[in-house]
Amino acid sequence: MEIKQLLNGARQATTDVSFGDTLKSPFKSLIGTMLSARTRDEVTEVVCEQLFKKVKSFQDILDMPTGELEKLVKRTGFYKTKTRYMKNISKTVITEYGGEVPDSIEELIKLSGVGRKTANLVVSVAFGKPSVCVDTHVHRICNRTAVVNTETPDQTESSLRKTVSKSQWSKINRYLVPFGKQVCTPLSPKCSGCPLNEDCPKIGVGKRR
Ligand code: SF4
């Protein structure tokens, strides 16, 4: 399937989600996305709301006692590691980047706990640059529909960067994440009500609705 058809079908089948103003701040985008690893969006949202009432800058994170920070982010899971990442990121951004979040993927992935998914999302949402943010939904759907044939999210990102025009990049995450949550779900996707049902090869899909 062509990416254009996939994006059109996904857009048609789901409600568009726009990123809130919170993620447009590079500071909040970077910390919030890092905290979202391996946790549900609903939990991340609540935790971030409480966290960002108390910390407004990287310096605030450095100044806050570790135990207090851990308590604030505990619900996101892996909170000790994530707290350590927050402290390390804050220190690096202040000492090496003059307190400003870097706006390139190459620099962002040098930061503690920041992988390509987080870096791509920050570059796209906070800095408005074209970027291909591949999470588990994007990786799964692109393989099921044969837009790519890859083993890992990083390979999917690389393949999409080569084959999809830059003007479409930002739509990939924005359309496919809600599509993956609402229709092309990890288990038992809702193929019967999916606008792509007829053309989709459903690679690797077992039980479906
Ligand atoms: S696997 Fe099913 S739900 Fe997913 S895109 Fe294909 S037809 Fe749609």
Side-chain angles (χ1 to χ4, degrees):
M1 184 181 294
E2 295 291 324
I3 185 78
K4 200 173 169 196
Q5 184 181 8
L6 171 58
L7 292 177
N8 284 340
R11 179 79 184 86
Q12 197 184 321
T14 52
T15 321
D16 191 14
V17 286
S18 62
F19 295 107
D21 285 343
T22 302
L23 288 182
K24 287 181 182 154
S25 144
F27 164 68
K28 291 179 181 175
S29 173
L30 177 55
I31 297 297
T33 312
M34 187 277 291
L35 286 174
S36 74
R38 302 198 200 180
T39 191
R40 286 182 296 120
D41 290 349
E42 304 80 64
V43 174
T44 310
E45 276 168 29
V46 174
V47 168
C48 282
E49 202 187 320
Q50 289 164 353
L51 175 70
F52 295 137
K53 273 185 197 157
K54 304 247 178 184
V55 296
K56 313 267 183 216
S57 66
F58 293 108
Q59 190 60 52
D60 286 349
I61 289 179
L62 280 185
D63 292 343
M64 184 174 273
T66 300
E68 200 177 327
L69 210 46
E70 284 178 350
K71 215 167 154 188
L72 276 168
V73 303
K74 191 166 186 175
R75 286 184 62 197
T76 66
F78 306 94
Y79 67 98
K80 283 184 182 288
T81 304
K82 287 177 180 176
T83 298
R84 198 171 63 246
Y85 287 158
M86 280 195 288
K87 289 277 188 189
N88 288 342
I89 287 171
S90 300
K91 194 173 167 199
T92 308
V93 170
I94 288 172
T95 56
E96 293 183 25
Y97 298 96
E100 301 289 332
V101 175
D103 64 356
S104 77
I105 290 167
E106 292 67 30
E107 293 302 315
L108 281 163
I109 57 174
K110 290 180 189 168
L111 298 172
S112 194
V114 176
R116 292 199 67 85
K117 186 190 89 170
T118 298
N120 270 291
L121 200 70
V122 171
V123 162
S124 163
V125 180
F127 294 108
K129 292 182 171 183
S131 192
V132 180
C133 179
V134 176
D135 71 346
T136 54
H137 294 295
V138 175
H139 177 60
R140 179 182 71 253
I141 296 164
C142 287
N143 274 282
R144 278 179 175 173
T145 52
V147 166
V148 299
N149 178 11
T150 56
E151 298 290 332
T152 66
D154 282 359
Q155 288 173 4
T156 299
E157 184 200 328
S158 173
S159 177
L160 291 172
R161 279 179 178 271
K162 284 180 201 143
T163 55
V164 180
S165 77
K166 260 192 184 180
S167 63
Q168 302 294 302
W169 285 5
S170 63
K171 292 181 186 168
I172 295 172
N173 187 276
R174 185 171 165 188
Y175 292 176
L176 296 189
V177 171
F179 185 58
K181 287 180 182 173
Q182 297 167 31
V183 182
C184 194
T185 46
L187 297 173
S188 193
K190 299 173 185 165
C191 298
S192 61
C194 175
L196 302 166
N197 194 16
E198 237 173 71
D199 297 327
C200 178
K202 302 178 186 65
I203 291 167
V205 175
K207 197 176 160 220
R208 66 193 80 148
R209 287 174 274 174

